[in-house]
Amino acid sequence: MSFPRQVHIQEILAPKTAGRDGRGGTRRRGVWAAVIGLVVVIGLGLGGLRLTGALGADLTPAQQRTAELERSQAELLPQLEVLMDARAAFFSGERRYLPAMRRIRAAIRTYNLRLAAVEQEIDEISRAHAARLRGCHNRCPDLDYPAYPRLPDLSPEVADLKRVAIRTAQLHDQLLTVRGTAGIEMSYSELLSAVDLLGQDAKDNLVTLHEMRYPSRAGIYAGGAARLRIGTLNGNNAVPVVRQMNTHLLRLLERSHLPVDSYDLPGGRDKFPGDHSISQ
């Protein structure tokens, strides 16, 4: 028994003479050409349906919402990572700034207390020898007055404030190059404000400390008898903005259905308790 001859694709694509088959071979080639043409038409039709979304119309509303949420998260997460890295750098500067200012204030309080004690002792000695001092002119007795306290050496704290001022200036320039989407741009703006406020506090305090002290050639504080006005030093003016930023970031995570557990935010993880990363 003889089997029908198999027709190869090359025979369809490359025309040949009819040979012994005569017009029958031509008819077979015509049938195959029609089949291939039909397949191409169907394929183009299906492709057009996919492009227009007709084949995706069978997704349920819940599936469509899930797909949209996944797309939104994929767009948000890279920007959020950049923001949180810059935010972590800001809080690193804050953790340097806050202890330095606490040490500065403590040193100034100690100095002012010692100065007040010395001034009180000088007054008591002067009152005790008031009769001898009255009208003595150039022959006054040599009384044993205590020495004034030296101004505190705050060189390490000054160095810390300089580092904070430099780092916040770098962060300012870095944040200016970032362009966030509508959902995250508010947090970027608040972080930039917090960075600038902390940097300005550090720079202002450096100027104030410079005016308080009398530096020697060795770069340390020299002696003095002026009471230091601790109220002229800035605190941390960035805290209110930091709290707003934290609140807006929490709302952003909630809208995007992202867990707070892995973030240094209120309700999440607080890796460094010495800053305001979880303040609200």
Side-chain angles (χ1 to χ4, degrees), residues 20-271:
R20 288 178 299 176
D21 291 338
R23 286 178 297 175
T26 302
R27 284 197 301 270
R28 283 195 297 271
R29 287 196 297 273
V31 170
W32 279 104
V35 170
I36 291 176
L38 182 60
V39 170
V40 171
V41 170
I42 294 174
L44 291 174
L46 290 175
L49 289 174
R50 289 184 181 275
L51 288 175
T52 58
L55 291 182
D58 58 344
L59 291 177
T60 66
Q63 290 173 328
Q64 292 176 355
R65 287 193 297 270
T66 299
E68 177 62 24
L69 178 61
E70 291 175 351
R71 184 200 63 77
S72 176
Q73 289 177 342
E75 181 181 0
L76 173 64
L77 282 172
Q79 300 181 61
L80 184 60
E81 182 178 355
V82 173
L83 172 67
M84 296 304 288
D85 286 344
R87 183 175 175 275
F90 164 78
F91 285 120
S92 176
E94 189 189 44
R95 291 193 299 274
R96 184 184 294 274
Y97 173 84
L98 294 175
M101 290 307 302
R102 282 195 293 268
R103 293 193 301 269
I104 288 170
R105 292 176 184 278
I108 289 176
R109 290 191 188 97
T110 299
Y111 168 81
N112 285 339
L113 288 173
R114 290 175 178 171
L115 178 61
V118 167
E119 289 174 339
Q120 181 178 354
E121 186 176 353
I122 290 174
D123 289 342
E124 291 174 353
I125 292 173
S126 297
R127 284 195 298 270
H129 298 274
R132 297 174 58 192
L133 296 173
R134 190 178 300 113
C136 64
H137 303 296
N138 296 332
R139 304 162 75 174
C140 295
D142 188 11
L143 303 179
D144 188 15
Y145 288 116
Y148 284 104
R150 291 176 62 87
L151 287 167
D153 179 11
L154 298 175
S155 300
E157 289 72 25
V158 167
D160 282 338
L161 294 184
K162 288 181 179 178
R163 292 190 189 100
V164 172
I166 293 171
R167 187 65 183 111
T168 50
Q170 294 171 342
L171 275 175
H172 172 92
D173 294 340
Q174 176 185 338
L175 289 170
L176 287 181
T177 65
V178 178
R179 293 292 182 269
T181 59
I184 201 172
E185 62 183 8
M186 176 66 75
S187 298
Y188 270 114
S189 176
E190 288 164 342
L191 177 58
L192 179 59
S193 296
V195 166
D196 290 346
L197 288 168
L198 182 66
Q200 192 62 50
D201 284 338
K203 288 185 286 188
D204 288 348
N205 288 338
L206 283 170
V207 173
T208 301
L209 290 172
H210 178 75
E211 293 173 348
M212 284 183 181
R213 62 183 179 165
Y214 303 93
S216 68
R217 292 182 180 181
I220 60 174
Y221 287 84
R227 185 164 301 183
L228 304 181
R229 293 179 297 170
I230 197 170
T232 59
L233 292 169
N234 288 352
N236 186 359
N237 290 309
V239 174
V241 181
V242 168
R243 289 172 175 158
Q244 292 177 8
M245 174 179 59
N246 291 343
T247 299
H248 288 150
L249 282 172
L250 286 178
R251 291 174 181 170
L252 177 63
L253 293 180
E254 183 179 0
R255 288 195 306 268
S256 303
H257 295 273
L258 293 172
V260 72
D261 298 349
S262 57
Y263 295 100
D264 187 17
L265 285 165
R269 60 182 181 87
D270 187 15
K271 189 174 181 180

